[in-house]
């Protein structure tokens, strides 16, 4: 039952640590890719009335319903990236998942972008988790770091070794917690424009921030003015620019 390349979590310490990070008062809990139910069976003990599972694999869905009939009515058979979150009740939602490595960044972006996102506890490949956490100037700092840290307060929770899975993956993992942060963007379109600015800043490796933005279509004079307003040197590279400075650049370069 590994059509989707699942690595099933089997370590009880890790399972209990993840479930303990779900707030007891959570009004709605969504588990993404429950698989064989390692987290699900624990979540049922505390959040049964408010739990929704989104599972892509019909074999996994059948397995879960066979072992925990109480899940009937709580399961959605869907690819989470194609699932319309508007189908969920419009109330604060906490997400839980041992994320599939290949889609983890896209799933995180979708979750953080949802207006009713309240928090999450997610497992990532260790290297990807380190990129999410990276401060400016650190190895791995990039758009994933900036756009994740903009929208959530992020903390490492658990280191997870290869032996915690069956079958064991080739990499170590790391569990992160996310708590919703208010952003300065009143609309989804304003956020998307900021995200495009950040992506453009990192689009041309080994180029200065100025050159990268100009090569991405931003006006030369406007970029020069924006860098001066943000007190950034003309030779600065995106990898050393903190989130606060990107927000300052945004006020100069992106106008609705």
């Amino acid at each position: 039952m590994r059509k989707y390349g699942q690595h099933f979590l089997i370590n009880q310490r890790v399972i209990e640590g993840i479930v303990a990070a779900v707030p007891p008062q959570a009004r709605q809990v969504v588990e993404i890719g429950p698989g064989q139910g390692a987290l699900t069976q624990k979540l049922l003990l505390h959040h049964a009335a408010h739990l929704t599972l989104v599972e892509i694999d019909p074999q996994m869905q059948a397995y879960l319903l066979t072992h925990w009939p109480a899940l009937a009515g709580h399961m959605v058979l869907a690819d989470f990236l194609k699932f319309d979150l508007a189908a969920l009740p419009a109330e604060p939602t906490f997400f839980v998942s041992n994320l599939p490595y290949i889609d983890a960044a896209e799933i995180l972006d979708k979750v953080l972008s949802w207006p009713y996102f309240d928090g999450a506890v997610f497992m990532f490949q260790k290297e990807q988790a380190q990129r999410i956490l990276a401060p400016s100037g650190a190895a791995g700092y990039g758009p994933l770091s900036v756009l994740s840290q903009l929208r959530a307060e992020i903390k490492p929770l658990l280191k997870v070794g290869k032996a915690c899975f069956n079958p064991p993956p080739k990499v170590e993992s790391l569990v992160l917690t996310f708590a919703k942060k208010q952003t300065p963007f009143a609309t989804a379109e304003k956020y998307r424009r900021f995200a495009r600015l950040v992506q453009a800043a990192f689009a041309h490796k080994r180029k200065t921030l100025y050159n990268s933005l100009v090569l991405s279509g931003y006006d030369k004079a406007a970029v020069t003015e924006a860098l001066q307003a943000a007190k950034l040197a003309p030779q600065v590279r995106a990898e050393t620019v903190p989130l606060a400075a990107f927000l300052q650049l945004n006020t100069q370069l992106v106008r609705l």
Side-chain angles (χ1 to χ4, degrees):
M1 291 194 294
R2 292 189 61 247
K3 181 169 63 172
Y4 295 93
Q6 300 102 320
H7 296 276
F8 299 115
L9 187 59
I10 57 174
N11 184 281
Q12 289 302 310
R13 179 189 63 85
V14 175
I15 291 167
E16 290 171 6
I18 291 172
V19 174
V22 182
Q25 72 278 13
R27 293 170 60 183
Q28 180 166 227
V29 178
V30 174
E31 185 182 0
I32 304 167
Q36 292 183 335
L39 297 173
T40 312
Q41 59 183 307
K42 300 288 186 181
L43 291 170
L44 274 172
L45 296 175
H46 306 288
H47 305 281
H50 311 285
L51 181 62
T52 298
L53 311 178
V54 182
E55 174 58 59
I56 191 173
D57 187 344
Q59 286 185 298
M60 288 293 99
Q61 183 189 50
Y63 177 92
L64 290 166
L65 290 174
T66 298
H67 286 77
W68 296 282
L71 289 173
H74 294 268
M75 295 199 65
V76 177
L77 183 63
D79 178 343
F80 182 79
L81 288 173
K82 297 176 182 178
F83 175 58
D84 185 2
L85 289 172
L88 297 172
E91 59 184 12
T93 303
F94 196 94
F95 294 84
V96 184
S97 186
N98 168 20
L99 289 174
Y101 291 155
I102 193 169
D103 295 321
E106 286 183 85
I107 292 173
L108 176 62
D109 181 66
K110 179 171 181 172
V111 165
L112 295 180
S113 295
W114 195 48
Y116 296 98
F117 161 75
D118 192 48
V121 54
F122 285 153
M123 188 186 305
F124 297 88
Q125 180 180 336
K126 181 180 177 181
E127 182 180 334
Q128 188 170 52
Q130 291 172 330
R131 291 201 300 272
I132 293 168
L133 291 167
S136 57
Y141 181 72
L144 181 61
S145 321
V146 175
L147 299 177
S148 298
Q149 293 168 27
L150 169 74
R151 295 174 288 175
E153 190 72 37
I154 310 167
K155 296 179 180 179
L157 180 67
L158 292 167
K159 295 179 181 178
V160 185
K162 302 173 188 178
C164 294
F165 300 89
N166 181 34
K170 296 180 180 179
V171 296
E172 304 288 319
S173 301
L174 186 61
V175 178
L176 305 180
T177 61
F178 299 79
K180 184 181 180 68
K181 282 170 59 175
Q182 294 300 320
T183 77
F185 305 113
T187 67
E189 179 57 30
K190 288 184 178 182
Y191 166 74
R192 283 192 289 270
R193 293 196 179 200
F194 174 73
R196 284 197 289 271
L197 170 68
V198 173
Q199 295 285 354
F202 289 91
H204 301 276
K205 292 183 178 179
R206 294 180 291 279
K207 297 286 186 183
T208 64
L209 175 59
Y210 171 86
N211 285 332
S212 193
L213 290 175
V214 169
L215 287 170
S216 297
Y218 289 87
D219 178 76
K220 291 182 179 180
V223 172
T224 298
E225 182 181 345
L227 289 173
Q228 291 173 345
K231 296 182 171 56
L232 294 172
Q235 299 82 17
V236 73
R237 297 182 184 275
E239 291 82 0
T240 66
V241 177
L243 170 59
F246 275 116
L247 290 170
Q248 286 182 283
L249 290 174
N250 186 71
T251 63
Q252 298 291 317
L253 289 172
V254 180
R255 305 180 188 277
L256 292 181

